[in-house]
Amino acid sequence: MLTRDISKAPLKEHLNSDGATRSFYRPLMDSLNDLGVPELQQRWRQANDSAALDAFTFMLDPRESRTVPTDWLPRLIPANEWDTISRGVAQRLKAINHFLLDLYCGDQQVVPPDVMYSCQYYNPELQDYRPASDVFVHIYGIDLVHMGDGRYVILEDNLRIPSGITYQLKTTQIGLDVLPELANGYDILPYDIRSTYLDMFASLCDNDSPVCVLLTDSKFGSAFFEHRYLSELLGIPLVEGSDLYVGHNGRVWARCLDGDFEIDLVYRRVEDLELFVPGLTEAYLEHKVVLVNAMGTGAGDDKLVFLWVPDMIKAYLGEEAILEQARSYDLRSPENRQYVLQNLDSLVLKTRQGYGGLGVFIMPDLDKGYRSRLSQQLIEQPQVFIAQETLDFSRHLVFDEAGGEFEERHVDLRVFAVQNGRGEVTVFPGGLTRVSEANSRVTNNSSGGSCKPSWVVR
């Protein structure tokens, strides 16, 4: 059996605490045993070739692009666990949007003013500006970890330009195409990203068939595969900054050989709008064009603002948070600083503005010299960081195709949700499972991690 030599350490999602295979993983394990290692290796190479042929890539820098490293063994999430995740994600997205609307158009009193005004992504020029349908966050990503007992704990929110939804789609598609046997015995919860996105676009515009484009930072950007894939999936043009301009009527136009045309909505995958399309910010503020996601969402992306999301849920929705979040420490407090400095070797430090795995320091995994330098930075600039408890989150079975061996790696889960102009939230089942390198807990692709398919099974 494939599980014969697997360690019985806790927090392995496919195993019970006694080392036996969990009941809902048995059909998958039976299918793997029926295939056998040599056949699995052949299918693995076939899946990798399929990913390469479709240019399923991640650009590490302008000189190096690599096929997204993928483990094709699916992660299984029982429907009852997914129900809790889905409700918790929808609740959180609604509360954060209420907070952003109150921040820019009201008198928000949930997050301390000095926290907001020191936030790099707070946009004071948006005061009194109401986005289309009062929705700031249209596409939302949230990172969770599984604690091995059915609980999922939130690590952080991704609000500005969440990435990875196409990785969720592509890993599932290729995995099912190449290893269809693994789905035997399972009823996998389906979802439709295309119709959900297009409905959301239309709900934000004045007409039912808006002209939409996806703005990319060029084919040399790290996420260009995702931009291209989404453009094709949604049936909307993929444009660079030079393809757009603001016309004499204040509207945004796209250049085209058949004649220029006006744009109703820009699904932006770039941060600095003026760098790519001069005048786009003014057109947006004059309600000449809709932006997805809206300007100003980054105020909720701050790792320090994260601490107050449970309070947002209570203040704006009158509810208790469905999902718990990692215990975090505001280092502006002398008591918190003292505690963190005394326990630094067992905590995680994050810079407030970090993203993509950058600015995340898992202190138990770092050498003593590096910890000492970070400790000094924390003393000198406590307002730059937050600290979080280090979580011993779950691992999942992965396959080493070259060696024909099975092992376990730490995994997290990025879940994606869409909120339309009617305030309705759709949470896409499964999400993207991200896998750490060996002997690491960092799962981001840009930091060396890989990914795997995620199925919600009924």
Side-chain angles (χ1 to χ4, degrees):
M1 296 290 289
L2 294 175
T3 55
R4 182 177 300 154
D5 297 323
I6 291 173
S7 166
K8 293 181 175 57
L11 301 179
K12 294 179 180 179
E13 292 190 11
H14 59 295
L15 301 180
N16 292 317
S17 58
D18 62 0
T21 301
R22 296 176 72 181
S23 59
F24 64 92
Y25 267 98
R26 286 175 192 153
L28 175 64
M29 302 306 289
D30 288 343
S31 296
L32 288 174
N33 280 304
D34 290 342
L35 280 170
V37 169
E39 178 65 18
L40 189 57
Q41 287 175 306
Q42 181 180 337
R43 301 285 190 91
W44 213 265
R45 289 189 288 270
Q46 185 181 341
N48 290 339
D49 289 344
S50 180
L53 286 171
D54 199 27
F56 180 30
T57 57
F58 184 85
M59 187 78 73
L60 294 175
D61 63 49
R63 298 161 298 174
E64 182 182 359
S65 178
R66 67 170 180 175
T67 302
V68 174
T70 305
D71 178 85
W72 303 104
L73 299 183
R75 179 189 200 175
L76 306 182
I77 303 174
N80 63 317
E81 290 184 8
W82 179 255
D83 178 67
T84 302
I85 294 171
S86 179
R87 290 187 295 108
V89 170
Q91 178 195 57
R92 196 171 178 95
L93 174 51
K94 290 178 181 178
I96 291 173
N97 191 74
H98 278 292
F99 159 72
L100 290 170
L101 189 62
D102 197 21
L103 173 67
Y104 290 113
C105 303
D107 182 27
Q108 87 80 25
Q109 298 183 20
V110 177
V111 181
D114 61 321
V115 172
M116 292 315 314
Y117 297 146
S118 63
C119 173
Q120 177 181 327
Y121 299 121
Y122 170 66
N123 295 97
E125 66 272 20
L126 294 178
Q127 285 301 136
D128 300 322
Y129 176 83
R130 305 184 80 96
S133 302
D134 286 347
V135 178
F136 277 90
V137 188
H138 312 105
I139 301 171
Y140 174 55
I142 182 171
D143 295 339
L144 309 99
V145 290
H146 186 213
M147 300 307 296
D149 55 2
R151 289 185 305 125
Y152 287 80
V153 176
I154 302 163
L155 295 182
E156 61 186 45
D157 303 290
N158 299 273
L159 303 171
R160 288 173 294 144
I161 308 175
S163 63
I165 186 66
T166 59
Y167 293 8
Q168 174 181 344
L169 291 168
K170 204 64 185 173
T171 55
T172 299
Q173 175 201 324
I174 295 176
L176 286 171
D177 286 347
V178 177
L179 290 160
E181 298 92 339
L182 301 188
N184 291 342
Y186 293 109
D187 180 9
I188 303 170
L189 199 63
Y191 52 92
D192 183 355
I193 286 179
R194 183 178 190 276
S195 64
T196 302
Y197 270 61
L198 294 180
D199 172 72
M200 179 264 289
F201 292 165
S203 72
L204 299 170
C205 299
D206 295 331
N207 60 79
D208 294 334
S209 300
V211 178
C212 308
V213 297
L214 191 155
L215 177 59
T216 180
D217 55 355
S218 86
K219 64 182 180 181
F220 298 110
S222 62
F224 182 73
F225 165 80
E226 176 151 280
H227 304 170
R228 174 180 63 82
Y229 188 101
L230 283 171
S231 169
E232 295 171 358
L233 177 69
L234 301 174
I236 62 176
L238 181 64
V239 298
E240 297 185 19
S242 58
D243 297 319
L244 302 180
Y245 66 94
V246 177
H248 66 279
N249 60 354
R251 295 285 304 276
V252 177
W253 290 70
R255 295 181 172 89
C256 182
L257 292 176
D258 296 331
D260 298 358
F261 56 92
E262 292 185 347
I263 303 299
D264 297 306
L265 179 146
V266 176
Y267 174 17
R268 65 186 183 110
R269 297 301 302 264
V270 302
E271 187 67 34
D272 191 337
L273 296 175
E274 289 302 303
L275 178 65
F276 289 90
V277 187
L280 181 55
T281 299
E282 183 177 355
Y284 170 73
L285 294 177
E286 292 180 356
H287 295 282
K288 301 287 189 179
V289 69
V290 174
L291 294 179
V292 172
N293 278 337
M295 290 181 61
T297 58
D301 233 353
D302 189 295
K303 301 299 187 293
L304 184 54
V305 173
F306 172 86
L307 275 65
W308 282 273
V309 177
D311 296 325
M312 296 177 197
I313 293 171
K314 187 175 295 185
Y316 297 115
L317 304 182
E319 302 168 356
E320 295 296 327
I322 295 170
L323 294 172
E324 62 182 292
Q325 60 185 49
R327 185 173 183 180
S328 305
Y329 299 93
D330 177 2
L331 298 178
R332 299 173 308 149
S333 159
E335 294 80 10
N336 284 348
R337 285 201 301 275
Q338 181 178 3
Y339 171 82
V340 169
L341 287 168
Q342 290 174 344
N343 297 275
L344 194 60
D345 289 355
S346 63
L347 297 172
V348 175
L349 279 186
K350 293 183 177 182
T351 57
R352 289 177 59 179
Q353 321 302 340
Y355 63 93
L358 301 176
V360 177
F361 308 97
I362 302 174
M363 305 305 283
D365 298 346
L366 300 178
D367 63 58
K368 186 175 181 179
Y370 206 117
R371 292 200 300 268
S372 177
R373 291 193 293 274
L374 283 171
S375 176
Q376 186 62 36
Q377 289 182 43
L378 190 155
I379 293 170
E380 295 173 353
Q381 297 180 297
Q383 73 281 1
V384 172
F385 298 94
I386 70 157
Q388 282 186 345
E389 297 287 350
T390 302
L391 300 178
D392 188 15
F393 56 94
S394 66
R395 301 182 184 190
H396 202 280
L397 191 68
V398 299
F399 179 60
D400 175 14
E401 178 262 327
E405 299 289 337
F406 292 86
E407 56 186 88
E408 292 91 14
R409 302 276 183 87
H410 283 100
V411 291
D412 73 358
L413 183 67
R414 174 165 290 186
V415 175
F416 299 93
V418 163
Q419 182 172 215
N420 63 28
R422 300 181 296 276
E424 300 163 342
V425 174
T426 299
V427 184
F428 298 119
L432 173 69
T433 290
R434 302 184 300 179
V435 185
S436 73
E437 291 189 296
N439 303 315
S440 172
R441 279 177 271 202
V442 179
T443 59
N444 301 80
N445 193 268
S446 55
S447 300
S450 55
C451 55
K452 63 160 57 233
S454 310
W455 301 346
V456 175
V457 295
R458 294 179 285 200

